Amino acid sequence: MPDDIGIRWDMPDWVIPNLQDSLGADAERTAVALTERAPVTLRVNTARTTPAAAIAALADEGVVAAPNPRAATALTVTEGARRVRNGPCFQGGHVEVQDASSQAAVAGLIGQGRALDFCAGGGGKALALAAMGWQVSAHDIDPARMQDIPLRAARGGHDITLCSSQDLAQAGQFDLVFCDAPCSGSGTWRRTPEAKWALTPERLTELTQMQADVLETARAYVALGGLLVYATCSVFSAENEGCVARFLDDHPDWTLAEAQGWPVDQAGDGFYCARLTQRQ
């Protein structure tokens, strides 16, 4: 019975078909993983240190961390997580708290030039891109969400420009536009379990429309030959492959260069990332 699965998976009955359709045989494992404790993961700021040096420095602070297989910059904290934020390694900008799947989505974006974190929020992707050598601008439809970016950028030794919507109109085009779009957050529900109970079918429909709007707006800021990256922390196909497919149907001059999903497990959260390019 669906309600029995709902109890076992600890999620609303209406969500279950979405999860099963999206993940197939991996749906039950994912549902169980979403009831377990999430890992504490750090991103090593390679502009200031190396993973090996960060592990040693954290150990001196009583924090035990080990390499995370999902990204070369990722460390999983196994002991002393509460000591991280007050320690000199974090305060000195050598590490930042960031999920390993989010790091993996950025890790392959090797290059130089102008990058725009289009849905920046707290700036995790902007900081990671800056550490890789990109000249980064950050934008969010709600500028208040970006209030922590200047402090975080200063701590990490980065120069990140905050852009309002008016600023973007004058900013020209970028070599890379990264869109970590608003989503259901279904890949992160073990961190915010109340979110799965607050989500409704109507809200999910609203989110998929918002995602389409984000891609539609962001594409105008991509320079010819540049890269448009679409990402969510969702495991629902409607928000991931479905959204990208609809965009490509509407814009036949764009093509999918690469797409990847990461599962909910002890390495990191559920995440999806697609890289889009415009045919020249």
Side-chain angles (χ1 to χ4, degrees), residues 11-16 18 183-186 189 193-211 234 236 238-239:
M11 62 178 54
D13 287 345
W14 76 268
V15 171
I16 293 170
N18 281 277
C183 71
S184 64
S186 53
W189 279 349
E194 68 281 357
K196 62 186 170 185
W197 300 105
L199 185 68
T200 64
E202 293 76 20
R203 176 58 178 165
L204 185 58
T205 299
E206 290 175 5
L207 286 166
T208 57
Q209 183 58 57
M210 290 172 62
Q211 291 150 7
S234 173
F236 293 152
E239 298 184 275

Side-chain angles (χ1 to χ4, degrees), residues 3-228:
D3 56 341
D4 293 333
I5 296 177
I7 293 170
R8 194 166 69 248
W9 291 10
D10 190 31
M11 62 178 54
D13 287 345
W14 76 268
V15 171
I16 293 170
N18 281 277
L19 202 66
Q20 292 171 324
D21 292 344
S22 299
L23 300 178
D26 199 39
E28 181 159 11
R29 187 207 60 80
T30 299
V32 173
L34 285 169
T35 68
E36 298 170 348
R37 183 185 293 269
V40 177
T41 52
L42 306 176
R43 178 182 58 80
V44 177
N45 178 8
T46 52
R48 290 211 157 159
T49 190
T50 65
I55 289 172
L58 288 164
D60 290 340
E61 301 170 19
V63 178
V64 179
N68 181 302
R70 197 149 289 179
T73 54
L75 304 177
T76 299
V77 177
T78 56
E79 292 182 33
R82 293 183 179 180
R83 296 189 177 100
V84 170
R85 291 186 182 273
N86 292 326
C89 200
F90 178 85
Q91 293 295 328
H94 290 217
V95 297
E96 275 281 346
V97 178
Q98 187 178 25
D99 179 70
S101 299
S102 295
Q103 295 183 52
V106 175
L109 301 174
I110 306 298
Q112 293 182 339
R114 302 180 70 219
L116 173 64
D117 186 356
F118 187 67
C119 306
K125 309 298 187 308
L127 293 165
L129 290 168
M132 295 169 64
W134 289 94
Q135 179 186 342
V136 181
S137 297
H139 167 269
D140 198 284
I141 195 169
D142 181 0
R145 295 175 185 157
M146 301 191 294
Q147 62 183 354
D148 292 337
I149 293 180
L151 177 61
R152 298 179 74 188
R155 189 168 61 224
H158 310 307
D159 184 11
I160 296 176
T161 302
L162 302 188
C163 292
S164 66
S165 296
Q166 288 183 330
D167 294 331
L168 274 188
Q170 309 297 323
Q173 293 182 309
F174 296 81
D175 303 293
L176 168 66
V177 177
F178 196 107
C179 304
D180 189 355
C183 71
S184 64
S186 53
T188 66
W189 279 349
R190 58 187 173 178
R191 300 183 189 275
T192 56
E194 68 281 357
K196 62 186 170 185
W197 300 105
L199 185 68
T200 64
E202 293 76 20
R203 176 58 178 165
L204 185 58
T205 299
E206 290 175 5
L207 286 166
T208 57
Q209 183 58 57
M210 290 172 62
Q211 291 150 7
D213 293 344
V214 163
L215 274 175
E216 182 65 30
T217 304
R219 72 184 178 93
Y221 296 108
V222 182
L224 191 62
L227 193 62
L228 175 61

